[in-house]
Amino acid sequence: MSEAIKNRYDFVILFDVENGNPNGDPDAGNMPRVDQETGHGLVTDVCLKRKIRNYIEAIKEGVPGYRIYIKDDVPLAHHDQEACAHFGIEDIKKIKKDNPEIDKKIRDFMCSNFFDIRTFGAVMTTFVQGALNCGQVRGPVQLGFARSIDPILPQEITITRTAITTVQAAQAQKTTMGRKFIVPYALYKVEGYVSANLARKVTGFSEEDLELLWRAILSMFELDHSAARGNMATRELIVFRHESELGNAPAYRLFDRVHVSKKRKETPARSYQDYEVHVDTENLPEGVSCMRMS
């Protein structure tokens, strides 16, 4: 693996949705997630990580070291067994007695082969059940929940369905009614963190991985278009780079420098141009620099 990153990073992602459902809530009939107290829209960290994983898998298909551990319809134990086969492990519960260093070897094997373990970490149940310390890997990259800048008002759209499933249904009726939830427009903000300390000590997350992560964040919606999600796009990625491994300033002080406001408060926003984004780069803490990507 390449050398691990040496600098801490804190970042802000701005992305938007137009006439789509950015993240359905299964507890609410798949309507867009909403903070019930404030009315602001929410998108989970799991949803965003899934899009990043899918993008990496698509552009790095077949490239060693960039496989994806958490995939749809693929049991995690299937990947875990690859490590067992690589090290000739027959009894996972007894191997620690014969090989005290097996924890680190398995962890390094999984991190070197799977990009998402190297990035986000993972819980590998096979090794947890085998009482191996490598079963839980804490990744250096973490995301919070995305929250819309303004409250959202999801709309329920009724649609007609002309595709009839069965012969009996076709004889009874020609069309059926359906529904879909959309957000007419919303701009979301999410904050993230990259720990150089965890990259060095645990997963080996490298500069090449970091550049690929930035690329994935900027393009994660480009390979994820669907009728349900409408038009979604990453509008800007704002990155604060620390000169040191542990950081030169608290993350919240840097995030407070990102200001997003609506140009005309009296009318609903319907495009990214209805907002103004300002990043206060004056008198940044010593050892911190800022770059903006779009």
Side-chain angles (χ1 to χ4, degrees):
M1 293 188 296
S2 302
E3 190 175 7
I5 59 172
K6 294 182 171 60
N7 306 90
R8 195 186 99 185
Y9 294 85
D10 302 305
F11 60 92
V12 174
I13 308 169
L14 295 174
F15 66 90
D16 62 1
V17 58
E18 180 183 359
N19 296 328
N21 185 349
N23 186 199
D25 185 350
D27 291 326
N30 205 45
M31 71 176 292
R33 295 183 188 272
V34 177
D35 182 334
Q36 298 299 327
E37 292 185 322
T38 67
H40 287 79
L42 299 174
V43 174
T44 66
D45 58 322
V46 174
C47 175
L48 297 174
K49 288 178 181 178
R50 177 76 273 154
K51 298 181 191 306
I52 292 172
R53 286 185 171 101
N54 289 347
Y55 181 83
I56 297 298
E57 184 177 25
I59 68 169
K60 290 290 186 178
E61 184 177 2
V63 179
Y66 293 93
R67 296 171 61 195
I68 297 300
Y69 181 69
I70 299 178
K71 299 174 62 174
D72 294 337
D73 302 322
V74 179
L76 301 182
H78 176 77
H79 296 314
D80 296 342
Q81 290 304 319
E82 292 183 26
C84 294
H86 180 79
F87 293 106
I89 300 174
E90 296 182 358
D91 191 332
I92 195 72
K93 295 183 178 180
K94 295 181 179 180
I95 189 63
K96 191 69 178 289
K97 296 179 180 179
D98 301 329
N99 191 344
E101 297 296 319
I102 195 63
D103 282 310
K104 185 177 184 300
K105 291 179 180 178
I106 292 176
R107 184 198 69 193
D108 291 347
F109 175 85
M110 298 301 284
C111 287
S112 64
N113 279 278
F114 297 95
F115 176 85
D116 54 339
I117 297 181
R118 202 160 62 242
T119 305
F120 303 124
V123 176
M124 295 172 279
T125 307
T126 299
F127 308 128
V128 172
Q129 293 175 343
L132 298 179
N133 294 332
C134 62
Q136 296 184 0
V137 176
R138 186 180 173 191
V141 179
Q142 298 301 327
L143 293 171
F145 272 36
R147 177 179 291 270
S148 65
I149 302 301
D150 294 307
I152 65 171
L153 185 61
Q155 297 184 12
E156 183 178 355
I157 307 297
T158 302
I159 58 176
T160 58
R161 180 172 178 262
T162 59
I164 308 301
T165 304
T166 65
V167 174
Q168 291 80 3
Q171 293 172 347
Q173 57 187 2
K174 293 184 178 180
T175 61
T176 57
M177 307 302 289
R179 64 177 185 171
K180 64 190 299 185
F181 291 105
I182 67 165
V183 177
Y185 182 82
L187 178 63
Y188 289 78
K189 182 176 77 169
V190 58
E191 296 163 350
Y193 315 84
V194 183
S195 169
N197 186 254
L198 286 175
R200 175 177 60 84
K201 290 183 176 180
V202 183
T203 72
F205 185 78
S206 66
E207 291 290 343
E208 291 83 357
D209 293 329
L210 183 68
E211 291 302 316
L212 186 58
L213 175 67
W214 298 150
R215 179 181 170 189
I217 289 173
L218 290 169
S219 304
M220 61 182 170
F221 299 109
E222 295 305 309
L223 303 182
D224 191 60
H225 294 299
S226 74
R229 282 183 281 277
N231 296 323
M232 296 188 68
T234 300
R235 292 295 186 165
E236 187 166 4
L237 171 61
I238 302 162
V239 179
F240 295 96
R241 180 183 184 273
H242 300 254
E243 288 186 356
S244 66
E245 179 183 280
L246 298 179
N248 299 81
Y252 76 89
R253 291 186 181 176
L254 303 178
F255 294 150
D256 286 347
R257 290 174 171 268
V258 179
H259 306 281
V260 184
S261 58
K262 196 161 59 175
K263 295 177 181 178
R264 299 181 61 184
K265 296 183 179 180
E266 66 276 7
T267 58
R270 286 297 181 266
S271 72
Y272 184 65
Q273 288 66 37
D274 290 334
Y275 286 92
E276 184 175 26
V277 180
H278 173 69
V279 182
D280 181 11
T281 56
E282 294 288 334
N283 301 314
L284 280 169
E286 185 178 354
V288 176
S289 58
C290 177
M291 56 181 174
R292 301 175 66 172
M293 295 178 274
S294 59

